[in-house]
């Protein structure tokens, strides 16, 4: 703690009363809260009870460090620990000891970029970063190895590109995701990019929507073919069709799902409401404000929406949300809606016809999301030459280039190949997702990105799999790459071989999202990575031998207990 810790509780109360006398109504306090009682509590939590991060936010709002960043940039120094936390309000993470530099996390609502923005991001990585970028599991982009002197250069350029990183880290609503094929997907019910953008701007322009009790995720699913994993989010909107109902006109609406948080082994659940598209942003803002007012500010482990709803239930939460709305929430059982369209698990790569006659989108494989600036420029050129300069990033850490004409497909593919990219991949590599891992993240117990590539190359060479498979590599229990939704999920752990500690994984099996939803079950613990490729090869061969009909790996594993799977899959 910094300055406030220097005062006793009595002194703080005295100072608070003096400030109140001098300023009877302060409006919005430093924590971003609208109040006339600014110095005694943060949304009802007494100052003495606040956890460390809340004290930091209380002492100075994370949005108010621009001058500090400028000064530190001029002197090429890192901030003090409190400002280090506040820098994350600008998407700047000091990732020491993994790397003694900043990582920039952008905000790219719906993962939608123009080719000019893509080129600009490549330049940021080249001029001020480590000369590479990573697509994240929220269809977003990170640039690493930024030195303190370049923080302002990077943020200014991001602004010049029409992008921002505000609220990309710390206790803020993270990048708003949307189905990456929105606007051109043959099976979508509604284009959800406008909703993701509206949500993004609502957050950016309401100061009270920063500095929540903890991070928060919002996602919009269009009913399209490619998953955006909306049910792993705190709020997941799913487009649905209502054909016949006494209560509403036939049409497309949204279901509201709440409290997805897969690191805590929970997918979001439907809360019994039907929303019109134009109601979704207001409902999200109301939920955020209820969470801001009532979320736990004393214990970080219980500060996510899940724990408020665990205490209250959906009903009480929705009552509080209703109080903040100017329209009445509309209950409707999920069973009164048409079944949600099924996802195409390979829809994020390969060539797919669009809803627009004669046009196609092409999913380009970018293994574990890493790209070099030159590769990014090549993608931008392809999007300009064959498409409408539109580039989409997916939660599967790859790229989609839409609007390629039928007659141009062949030359597009030739150019794509010449750029060193491919639109085809195997059932293993196509579903490979990996978090940053120990080359960049201090929490990681393993080199997730590197080992994910080694594993997929090994499996591509040694096993033939005829059904899509998602393999998720997460470096620690935080679950950034969502191992609990993988057909195969690997979570990094240190392992002992004799006296030596080596990188290894716990392995979970049978997870999935959307129409295939399930939290994977724990099957293997502490397997050194050197043994992982052969173990998974054995697993996949055993599955192929024992499966019934064409059942996929997830269906196969879900029919069996953890003990049965361990027995069957142990070589
Ligand atoms: Fe994450 C913390 C990377 C998506 C759950 N996550 C971190 C930090 C910031 C660790 C740190 O404090 O230094 C990682 C930075 C590594 C680095 O330097 O790159 C990090 N998380 C990532 C990314 C980059 C993984 C990736 O390679 O794609 C993802 C960035 C998404 C984005 O663009 O915003 C990322 N993290 C997620 C997800 C998935 C999602 O958001 O859809 C989750 C699980 C969902 C959830 O709601 O929890 C996730 N990250 C966490 C947690 C655990 C939070 C919890 O309450 O359990 C932490 C730890 C924390 O917040 O204290 C964390
Ligand atoms: Fe870091 Fe753990 Fe997230 Fe991987 S899962 S990026 S190791 S915090």
């Amino acid at each position: 703690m910094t300055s406030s810790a220097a005062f006793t509780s009595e002194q703080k109360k005295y100072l608070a009363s003096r400030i109140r006398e001098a300023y009877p109504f302060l409006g919005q306090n430093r924590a971003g809260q609208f109040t006339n009682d600014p110095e005694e509590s943060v949304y009802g939590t007494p100052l003495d009870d606040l956890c460390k991060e809340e004290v930091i936010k209380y002492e100075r709002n994370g949005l108010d460090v621009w001058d500090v960043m400028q000064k530190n940039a001029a002197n090429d120094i890192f901030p003090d620990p409190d400002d280090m936390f506040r820098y994350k309000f600008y998407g700047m993470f000091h990732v020491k000891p993994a790397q003694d530099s900043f990582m920039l996390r952008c905000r790219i609502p719906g993962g939608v970029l123009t080719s000019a923005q893509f080129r600009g991001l490549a330049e940021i990585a080249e001029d001020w970063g480590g000369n590479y970028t990573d697509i994240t599991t929220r269809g977003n982009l990170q640039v690493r190895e930024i030195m303190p002197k370049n923080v302002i250069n990077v943020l200014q350029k991001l602004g010049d590109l029409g992008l921002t990183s505000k609220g990309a880290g710390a206790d803020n609503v993270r990048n708003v995701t949307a189905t990456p094929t929105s606007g051109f997907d043959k099976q979508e019910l509604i284009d959800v990019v406008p909703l993701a953008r509206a949500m993004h701007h609502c957050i950016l322009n309401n100061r009270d929507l920063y500095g929540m009790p903890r991070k928060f995720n919002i996602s919009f699913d269009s009913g399209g073919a490619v998953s955006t994993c909306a049910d792993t989010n705190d709020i997941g909107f799913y487009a649905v069709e209502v054909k016949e109902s006494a209560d509403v006109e036939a049409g497309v609406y949204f279901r509201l799902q709440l409290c997805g948080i897969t690191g805590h082994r929970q997918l979001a659940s439907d809360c019994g409401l039907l929303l019109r598209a134009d109601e979704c942003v207001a409902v999200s803002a109301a939920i955020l404000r209820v969470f801001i007012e009532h979320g736990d500010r004393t214990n970080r482990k219980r500060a996510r929406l899940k724990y408020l709803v665990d205490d209250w239930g959906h009903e009480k939460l929705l009552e509080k949300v209703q109080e903040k709305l100017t329209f009445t929430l509309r209950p409707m059982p999920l069973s009164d809606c048409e079944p949600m369209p099924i996802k195409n698990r390979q829809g994020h790569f390969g060539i797919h016809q669009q809803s627009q006659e004669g046009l196609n989108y092409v999913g380009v494989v970018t293994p574990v999301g890493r790209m070099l600036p030159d590769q990014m420029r090549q993608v931008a050129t392809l999007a300009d030459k064959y498409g409408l300069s539109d580039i989409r990033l997916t939660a599967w850490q790859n790229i989609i280039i839409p609007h390629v004409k039928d007659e141009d497909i062949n030359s597009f593919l030739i150019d794509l190949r010449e750029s060193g990219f491919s639109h085809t991949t195997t059932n293993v590599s196509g579903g490979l997702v990996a978090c940053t891992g120990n080359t960049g993240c201090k929490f990681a117990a393993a080199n997730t990105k590197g080992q994910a590539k080694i594993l997929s190359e090994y499996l591509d060479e040694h096993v033939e799999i005829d059904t899509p498979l998602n393999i998720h590599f997460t470096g620690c229990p935080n679950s950034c790459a969502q191992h609990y939704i993988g057909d195969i999920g690997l979570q990094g752990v240190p392992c002992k071989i004799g006296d030596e500690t080596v990188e290894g994984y716990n392995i979970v099996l049978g997870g999935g999202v959307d129409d295939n939803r399930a939290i994977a079950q724990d099957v293997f613990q502490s397997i050194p990575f050197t043994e992982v490729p052969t173990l998974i090869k054995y697993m996949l061969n055993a599955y192929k031998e024992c499966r019934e009909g064409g059942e996929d790996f997830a269906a196969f594993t879900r029919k069996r207990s953890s003990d049965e799977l361990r027995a069957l899959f142990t070589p």
Side-chain angles (χ1 to χ4, degrees), residues 88 93-96 98-99 103 105-107 134-142 144 168-171 174-175 177 214-217 228-229 232-234 260-264 300-301 303-304 307 368 395 397 433-437 440-443 448-449 473 476-482:
K88 294 189 209 173
F93 297 64
H94 184 204
V95 292
K96 197 178 169 186
Q99 292 174 325
M103 171 272 283
R105 181 181 293 166
C106 306
R107 293 189 79 99
D134 290 318
I135 304 173
T136 76
T137 52
R138 296 197 66 74
N140 192 8
L141 210 105
Q142 290 188 171
R144 317 189 68 82
D171 300 339
R174 303 303 172 82
N175 189 41
T177 60
R214 202 72 160 80
K215 68 185 282 195
F216 202 98
N217 288 332
T228 190
C229 306
T232 65
N233 286 250
D234 297 273
I261 170 169
T262 65
H264 303 222
R300 301 285 284 175
K301 293 207 167 83
R304 298 289 302 269
Y307 295 99
V368 293
Q397 298 182 318
V433 180
C435 78
T436 303
C441 178
K442 61 175 178 280
F443 294 119
T448 47
K449 281 198 193 289
F473 272 75
C476 79
N478 283 334
S479 183
C480 299
Q482 319 252 44

Side-chain angles (χ1 to χ4, degrees), residues 425-432 455-457 459-460 463 465 467-471 540:
T425 182
T426 62
N427 278 321
V428 170
S429 302
L432 196 66
L455 175 70
S456 69
E457 279 161 19
L459 293 178
D460 284 344
V463 200
I465 281 288
T467 54
L469 198 70
N470 290 332
I471 304 185
L540 294 175

Side-chain angles (χ1 to χ4, degrees), residues 493 495 505-508 522-528 562 566:
V493 280
C495 289
Y505 292 91
N506 292 340
I507 301 179
V508 299
D522 299 294
V523 179
F524 289 101
Q525 264 75 48
S526 302
I527 308 292
S562 193
R566 208 171 307 111

